[in-house]
Amino acid sequence: MTSIYQGREQTEAKHFILRKYLQTLAFKALHGGWNLAYIDGFSGPWQSRTPDHSDSSFMIAIDVLKDAQAQVRASGKKARVKCLFVEENSASFAQLHPAVTAYHDPANEFLIETFNGKFENAVDQIRRTMTNSFALTFIDPTGWTGYEFGKVRPVFEHAPGEVLLNFMYDFVGRFTASSDPKTLASFDGILGQGWQQRLDPLVPREEGLMALFSEQFRLAGGFRYVLNTPIEKISDRTHFHIVYGTRSAEGLAAYRDVEHAALKDHGMRRAFAREAIRENKTGQSDMFGAEGAASFAEMSTEAQFASIKCQAKDWLRDQLPSCPKPFSEVWPKMLDRFMVRKTDAKDICVELAKAGEIKDTWRTNGSRRRKPDDADQIDTA
């Protein structure tokens, strides 16, 4: 257990995703010759337990971006990074501003700006920060207001650019069940006008609300792919969803890799936390202890992944009548629909080939490759 995250394991999972994905994106964008812009909305700090705010999203981002810039520059390439941190609360901003501007370094093209006000009111400054840059926008509100899609659409539409958003489902799920008209109307900006009538009554409420939100999110940014990662509390209740929007198949693949690692890590940390709570209540430890609980959690997570992979395999079987198609067209559609990685999509093709359902085209002409590449045709046997 990481002590600074004790009791807020869901925050650790969120920071895991932010750190790992930002590392991947920063290296790729900067190595590719892009300037990189990082926008942090609702920056905080909130519930930070460290004097240097190292457990906050803004310091995690600065740490990752400075390291990426240094490594890219060491390879002989230019690397310009611009950051904008937005916070409305005056007390939080008073902590945020000196903490982040201490890293403002124009001489080395590591630029930091702040904005004290509503995220929705920062759109013009955000757009200036994004100019001529690949942009990642991280939106981490404490509720569901302050980022109405109609108001922040120019931020979402920036290309090249991607968005990570913390959708606070725990709050949304409760307050969308309110009978207060004003409260219900406050969701129009993220769920769309008439959302109550469009909410599918035939699916679980969480699934229905996520479908509405994801569609509005997709439309706001013109994203080709929108994924959402549920992060649960210790109690096994969803606390929030990390929603990711991109127009890039490469980004899609990178995010699925990070998501897979994050959910495995989060599952084990929740198991450790549950065991610690049980020991505190009873004064006794389980015969297998926290390590045993974590091992069981890992097996449970892997079983869930295996089940999803089976669903993805069935989906590909259904697609076979419309084949042949290059693998480059198959795997993005699979990853868009299912929580699987590109390597899982390759494994599924190998399994279907061994079963005689598709051709192992990646092994023709004397090739010794064991798995398909993007150019290989996926075709029925």
Side-chain angles (χ1 to χ4, degrees):
M1 171 72 68
T2 305
S3 59
I4 60 173
Y5 288 107
Q6 187 170 1
R8 52 181 193 141
E9 288 74 21
Q10 62 275 5
T11 299
E12 186 166 20
K14 174 178 63 181
H15 287 170
F16 183 107
I17 291 173
L18 174 62
R19 179 183 293 277
K20 295 297 183 181
Y21 188 72
L22 186 54
Q23 284 174 337
T24 301
L25 174 64
F27 280 114
K28 185 169 184 61
L30 294 175
H31 268 296
W34 284 101
N35 296 329
L36 182 62
Y38 175 74
I39 312 301
D40 191 330
F42 305 85
S43 294
W46 303 107
Q47 299 182 336
S48 179
R49 295 179 180 175
T50 57
D52 61 356
H53 301 300
S54 58
D55 59 339
S56 65
S57 63
F58 58 83
M59 286 309 301
I60 289 170
I62 287 174
D63 179 61
V64 169
L65 293 171
K66 284 189 69 66
D67 179 66
Q69 184 192 52
Q71 292 195 45
V72 171
R73 285 195 161 192
S75 69
K77 294 185 177 181
K78 294 182 178 180
R80 189 169 190 260
V81 176
K82 299 180 288 184
C83 302
L84 174 59
F85 299 96
V86 181
E87 176 53 50
E88 179 182 6
N89 181 275
S90 57
S92 294
F93 186 80
Q95 298 179 62
L96 169 74
H97 181 76
V100 299
T101 53
Y103 294 90
H104 181 57
D105 186 6
N108 288 303
E109 294 195 293
F110 195 88
L111 310 174
I112 292 180
E113 296 180 347
T114 60
F115 183 92
N116 184 198
K118 293 182 178 180
F119 181 73
E120 294 170 340
N121 294 337
V123 170
D124 288 343
Q125 187 170 345
I126 292 171
R127 293 181 69 184
R128 289 194 295 272
T129 302
M130 290 176 160
T131 301
N132 298 323
S133 299
F134 193 111
L136 178 66
T137 300
F138 179 59
I139 301 175
D140 189 15
T142 55
W144 64 88
T145 60
Y147 61 96
E148 289 188 18
F149 293 149
K151 296 179 180 178
V152 303
R153 185 182 299 274
V155 177
F156 281 35
E157 289 179 334
H158 176 82
E162 299 179 337
V163 176
L164 277 175
L165 189 150
N166 177 11
F167 180 65
M168 294 295 292
Y169 176 76
D170 197 18
F171 296 146
V172 173
R174 282 185 282 133
F175 285 96
T176 50
S178 170
S179 59
D180 175 49
K182 186 176 180 180
T183 299
L184 296 175
S186 69
F187 291 98
D188 290 354
I190 58 173
L191 299 181
Q193 295 286 334
W195 63 267
Q196 290 170 283
Q197 290 71 43
R198 292 184 293 107
L199 185 62
D200 189 344
L202 301 180
V203 301
R205 187 171 183 81
E206 182 174 351
E207 182 180 340
L209 287 169
M210 286 309 305
L212 290 180
F213 181 84
S214 296
E215 181 59 20
Q216 294 301 307
F217 182 92
R218 183 191 300 272
L219 292 172
F223 296 118
R224 186 174 183 182
Y225 308 107
V226 173
L227 310 181
N228 73 82
T229 307
I231 303 296
E232 296 179 337
K233 290 185 173 182
I234 295 175
S235 60
D236 292 335
R237 187 177 78 246
T238 300
H239 187 52
F240 54 76
H241 286 251
I242 298 296
V243 182
Y244 167 72
T246 185
R247 303 169 190 88
S248 163
E250 291 183 4
L252 170 68
Y255 182 81
R256 284 299 194 200
D257 285 342
V258 170
E259 174 187 60
H260 185 93
L263 290 178
K264 286 184 66 174
D265 182 80
H266 185 51
M268 289 188 288
R269 292 187 185 282
R270 287 169 59 232
F272 275 115
R274 280 195 293 262
E275 178 60 20
I277 291 171
R278 195 192 69 79
E279 288 183 14
N280 288 336
K281 286 182 177 179
T282 65
Q284 297 178 337
S285 61
D286 183 84
M287 67 177 294
F288 296 108
E291 293 292 342
S295 178
F296 178 80
E298 183 176 16
M299 289 188 292
S300 177
T301 302
E302 289 295 349
Q304 292 176 2
F305 285 145
S307 176
I308 295 170
K309 188 175 175 182
C310 286
Q311 296 172 36
K313 184 189 290 187
D314 288 340
W315 170 85
L316 182 53
R317 286 191 177 104
D318 291 340
Q319 304 303 304
L320 292 179
S322 63
C323 288
K325 292 180 180 178
F327 183 64
S328 61
E329 292 185 17
V330 171
W331 69 260
K333 293 180 181 179
M334 183 183 291
L335 270 62
D336 189 31
R337 288 165 174 78
F338 301 97
M339 195 182 291
V340 295
R341 299 161 296 171
K342 187 176 180 180
T343 187
D344 296 319
K346 291 184 176 185
D347 289 341
I348 287 171
C349 290
V350 171
E351 292 166 11
L352 290 177
K354 287 182 178 179
E357 297 183 57
I358 66 173
K359 299 174 182 177
D360 55 352
T361 54
W362 50 93
R363 295 184 64 87
T364 57
N365 300 320
S367 171
R368 300 179 66 179
R369 288 184 291 114
R370 295 182 298 171
K371 298 182 181 182
D373 288 334
D374 279 2
D376 292 312
Q377 294 292 309
I378 304 304
D379 195 7
T380 53

